[in-house]
Amino acid sequence: IAGITQAPTSQILAAGRRMTLRCTQDMRHNAMYWYRQDLGLGLRLIHYSNTAGTTGKGEVPDGYSVSRANTDDFPLTLASAVPSQTSVYFCASSAAGGSPGELFFGEGSRLTVL
Amino acid sequence: GQNIDQPTEMTATEGAIVQINCTYQTSGFNGLFWYQQHAGEAPTFLSYNVLDGLEEKGRFSSFLSRSKGYSYLLLKELQMKDSASYLCAVIENDYKLSFGAGTTVTVRA
């Protein structure tokens, strides 16, 4: 089934540990995004990539890093997790970066940092 | 940056109509989206407005007034499965999508 796959679905992590959330899409979309969703705050953009080889910072980038080595993969890394990074993380893609377009979301990764 | 405001919660009866308002303030505007999100699931696309006016798609309609910084999502003939959060999102000149906090709609029998 075409779409976006995120892994892991859920993870409990000790503070200070390194964690990478994986995101893979098979729709050949140019643009990919990472959002976090917290109760009462909605979806907030962490990092984005308009095309393979480029990345940019969103609204809440601190404590996170991304890479975009190819079109399909867009991993999000927490170098040293803190409890405030407890959230649900959504990866999304759109057909064309740099132009308005419908976002397609993965099913989310629920991360708890203790 | 932008401010996107929408009500936190709304409750309506099955078969009724509910209107979810969204107001926004942006430095540049390139369109407004509405997404639906059921509890524990990913958001899914409902509508996109870039010009003023009403866009109708089945039981759902979305309206935009750019001069007023205002949109609404109209849900008609409500069904139990419409119980979900509805997210208003705006694209600015940098073409990144920014979301409001969402409106949780509860449909009661």
Side-chain angles (χ1 to χ4, degrees):
Chain A
I1 298 177
I4 298 180
T5 302
Q6 291 184 232
T9 304
S10 180
Q11 181 75 45
I12 298 174
L13 187 67
R17 298 296 296 269
R18 180 184 180 90
M19 178 72 193
T20 295
L21 303 180
R22 300 183 298 278
C23 176
T24 300
Q25 54 105 356
D26 61 3
M27 297 177 282
R28 305 305 293 173
H29 283 173
N30 282 323
M32 297 187 75
Y33 311 83
W34 274 106
Y35 287 87
R36 59 177 290 174
Q37 187 172 37
D38 303 289
L39 193 63
L41 295 177
L43 286 158
R44 292 181 292 169
L45 183 64
I46 305 171
H47 285 286
Y48 66 95
S49 168
N50 284 333
T51 188
T54 69
T55 62
K57 294 181 179 181
E59 181 185 356
V60 288
D62 294 343
Y64 305 95
S65 63
V66 291
S67 61
R68 187 85 184 280
N70 56 63
T71 298
D72 298 343
D73 301 300
F74 191 44
L76 176 74
T77 297
L78 290 67
S80 179
V82 295
S84 62
Q85 292 177 311
T86 294
S87 186
V88 180
Y89 291 86
F90 285 99
C91 180
S93 71
S94 66
S99 66
E102 176 186 349
L103 289 185
F104 294 83
F105 286 86
E107 292 301 311
S109 296
R110 182 176 295 276
L111 183 66
T112 302
V113 183
L114 301 176
Chain B
Q2 69 291 308
N3 293 316
I4 303 172
D5 293 314
Q6 50 182 130
T8 303
E9 295 180 334
M10 301 184 74
T11 301
T13 304
E14 196 173 15
I17 297 174
V18 68
Q19 177 175 315
I20 306 170
N21 296 324
C22 173
T23 59
Y24 62 89
Q25 295 176 313
T26 64
S27 56
F29 179 82
N30 272 294
L32 186 144
F33 287 81
W34 285 95
Y35 281 80
Q36 180 190 59
Q37 186 178 24
H38 286 99
E41 298 182 5
T44 56
F45 170 83
L46 284 179
S47 68
Y48 172 60
N49 294 70
V50 65
L51 299 176
D52 290 350
L54 187 68
E55 295 280 342
E56 297 186 85
K57 189 183 296 185
R59 294 188 299 112
F60 293 1
S61 302
S62 56
F63 171 83
L64 175 67
S65 170
R66 289 173 296 171
S67 62
K68 296 182 180 179
Y70 168 70
S71 173
Y72 68 73
L73 179 69
L74 195 69
L75 286 62
K76 295 178 282 189
E77 301 171 17
L78 279 173
Q79 301 176 10
M80 299 300 289
K81 66 178 182 180
D82 297 330
S83 292
S85 287
Y86 292 84
L87 314 178
C88 175
V90 173
I91 289 188
E92 292 191 278
N93 288 337
D94 58 5
Y95 293 107
K96 291 189 293 292
L97 196 59
S98 296
F99 286 83
T103 300
T104 300
V105 172
T106 302
V107 180
R108 294 183 174 170

